[in-house]
Amino acid sequence: IASFKPSVSGLGGKVVVLNARSGVVSFQSARKSVPVAFDADGTAYYEVAPVGKSDIAFFGDEGKYVSNGKQRIASLDDADDKLTATITFAAGEKSVTVFGYAKEKPQASAQSGSVGDLSYDKTTGRFSIEAMPSAEVSNSGGDPVQTAVVTFATP
């Protein structure tokens, strides 16, 4: 049986481990081994995110292979009781759905851009929300981009 420890990748403290294919999630210590469940074709796909000071594990762009890549998630600021994400959009892109996990339903607000209604599954702790960019367009490396700044607050 194969397994891995998130701590081997430099993570410490609490993490959320997501089996991206089955949707099964585990809140656990980074030092705890994760048994790997292989698909019929012999492959597996897991994502791991740290649980920060905010008590939120933020995964980023839903449905993307690199869900928290710098091209989409420009920055994350994790503080006591809140996590703020700066989300980057290609000019003209209408929206993106971002997701994460929390033990309690977080509140979401947009400092720039806007957000839809936050959905939360109290059984798994998974939340997701549609974010829309602000109207302002700036240039990033010669490419026009728009951003949204979204804050998730925990009770």
Side-chain angles (χ1 to χ4, degrees), residues 5 11 31 33 39 53 56 69 76 82 89 92 100 103 110 120 123 137 139-140 149:
K5 289 184 181 181
L11 294 171
R31 292 188 301 263
S33 289
D39 291 345
K53 295 180 214 171
I56 294 172
L76 286 174
K82 71 178 182 176
F89 299 79
K103 291 281 188 178
Y120 181 74
T123 303
V137 178
N139 283 316
S140 173
V149 178

Side-chain angles (χ1 to χ4, degrees), residues 79-100:
D80 290 341
D81 302 327
K82 71 178 182 176
L83 180 134
T84 302
T86 301
I87 303 166
T88 304
F89 299 79
E93 192 173 17
K94 303 292 184 212
S95 70
V96 65
T97 299
V98 294
F99 76 107

